Amino acid sequence: MEDLLAKYGTLAPLQPEEELALRSLAAVTRDYPAGADLVAGEYDEPDHLYIVKKGRLFASSDLPNGQRAITRLYFEGDIVGTANIPFEHATQSITVQSPSTLYTFPRHKLIDAFQRLPRVAAIFYTFAALENAVLNDRLVSIGRTRGKSRLASLLMEIASRQHLYGEANAKTVSLCLTQAQIGDAIGLTEVQVNRLFRALHEDGVIDASAGIVEIIDHGRLCDIGHFHDRYQDLDLDWFDEEIGGYEQTA
């Protein structure tokens, strides 16, 4: 829960009642092994949401040809399953990538918090829009750039989210994804991803070993990936305006 509070607090300091409302979502904790499906497919009813306390997850969609597209990566502090909130049946599968501890709660509790605390809804909306922009960037990358740019952009996306509360240009990235899964995220085969990792290493941009990537040349990796750090590009001025009947103060 501390990661969620820190994440939301990057936009605006939380009021005591807002923090209390978010903490109330953490009443039930469950551990999940790697490979577990929280939502297995389009016929599941998405009546629960999850907050990542520890671990990594991803959302994906299965294609008619048997392939899979990974559309979203979940980190500590993320709320999982929000894309399924408006729908009777799930629009995507959610898979536990590494052993994870999650807070679980019925989705109506989030709606209750929105009704009572409009600024929580505004913060939630801001991160939803941010995640939409990140996904849009990845779609543009897949559709209009070569393989090396796609991989570089994904590595920077993971680095940016992983270090949201810390050093902006942190050098070490824990992927928590296999090369096959990376391929599912950027529209390439496992063999192609392996070759591209070697190419970036030979270019002197990264070192990679056992799922850990060391970014040697941060600026060059950004240039290769045509990467825009959406997490550092937020306009937060509107949070100084009056929302829901009270004004946020610094």
Side-chain angles (χ1 to χ4, degrees):
M1 180 52 64
E2 302 307 319
D3 285 306
L4 175 68
L5 297 176
K7 174 182 171 182
Y8 278 21
T10 60
L11 296 186
L14 294 174
Q15 304 289 340
E17 63 269 28
E18 294 168 344
E19 181 174 333
L20 183 62
L22 292 171
R23 287 190 181 278
S24 72
L25 301 178
V28 179
T29 305
R30 289 186 60 185
D31 294 325
Y32 293 85
D37 289 322
L38 302 186
V39 179
E42 61 180 317
Y43 298 109
D44 282 5
E45 296 182 6
D47 57 348
H48 276 72
L49 297 174
Y50 308 85
I51 300 171
V52 184
K53 178 181 181 182
K54 181 181 70 174
R56 295 277 192 89
L57 303 88
F58 62 79
S60 65
S61 296
D62 293 326
L63 306 178
N65 62 3
Q67 295 182 321
R68 175 179 63 181
I70 291 178
T71 55
R72 173 80 198 278
L73 305 177
Y74 293 103
F75 299 80
E76 293 171 2
D78 286 347
I79 299 180
V80 179
T82 54
N84 293 325
I85 286 178
F87 302 101
E88 182 179 0
H89 298 293
T91 61
Q92 56 189 0
S93 298
I94 299 171
T95 303
V96 177
Q97 173 58 20
S98 65
S100 298
T101 301
L102 309 177
Y103 302 109
T104 177
F105 59 95
R107 59 183 173 179
H108 71 79
K109 283 196 172 183
L110 191 62
I111 305 304
D112 292 344
F114 289 173
Q115 291 174 334
R116 291 186 292 107
L117 301 165
R119 207 166 64 101
V120 169
I123 293 172
F124 178 89
Y125 169 80
T126 299
F127 273 103
L130 171 61
E131 290 155 5
N132 224 20
V134 170
L135 177 58
N136 182 72
D137 288 343
R138 179 132 44 94
L139 291 175
V140 171
S141 178
I142 291 171
R144 287 293 181 265
T145 68
R146 295 184 179 275
K148 187 185 288 188
S149 292
R150 298 185 203 179
L151 178 57
S153 181
L154 181 67
L155 293 177
M156 288 306 310
E157 176 188 331
I158 295 173
S160 178
R161 176 59 187 86
Q162 182 177 312
H163 301 292
L164 178 61
Y165 325 122
E167 182 185 351
N169 295 329
K171 304 242 179 231
T172 302
V173 180
S174 176
L175 294 178
C176 283
L177 293 168
T178 67
Q179 291 190 355
Q181 290 165 342
I182 290 172
D184 289 341
I186 58 177
L188 297 173
T189 67
E190 182 177 2
V191 172
Q192 289 171 319
V193 170
N194 184 272
R195 289 173 180 168
L196 291 169
F197 267 110
R198 291 203 308 267
L200 289 174
H201 172 73
E202 291 167 359
D203 288 344
V205 179
I206 66 167
D207 274 333
S209 177
I212 303 296
V213 172
E214 180 184 356
I215 300 175
I216 298 172
D217 192 330
H218 187 277
R220 192 173 172 202
L221 190 63
C222 285
D223 290 342
I224 292 172
H226 310 292
F227 179 71
H228 302 281
D229 191 345
R230 301 301 180 185
Y231 293 98
Q232 301 297 322
D233 194 33
L234 291 173
D235 177 10
L236 305 181
D237 289 345
W238 69 293
F239 276 93
D240 292 330
E241 300 172 3
E242 191 172 316
I243 298 175
Y246 62 88
E247 185 175 354
Q248 165 63 28
T249 57

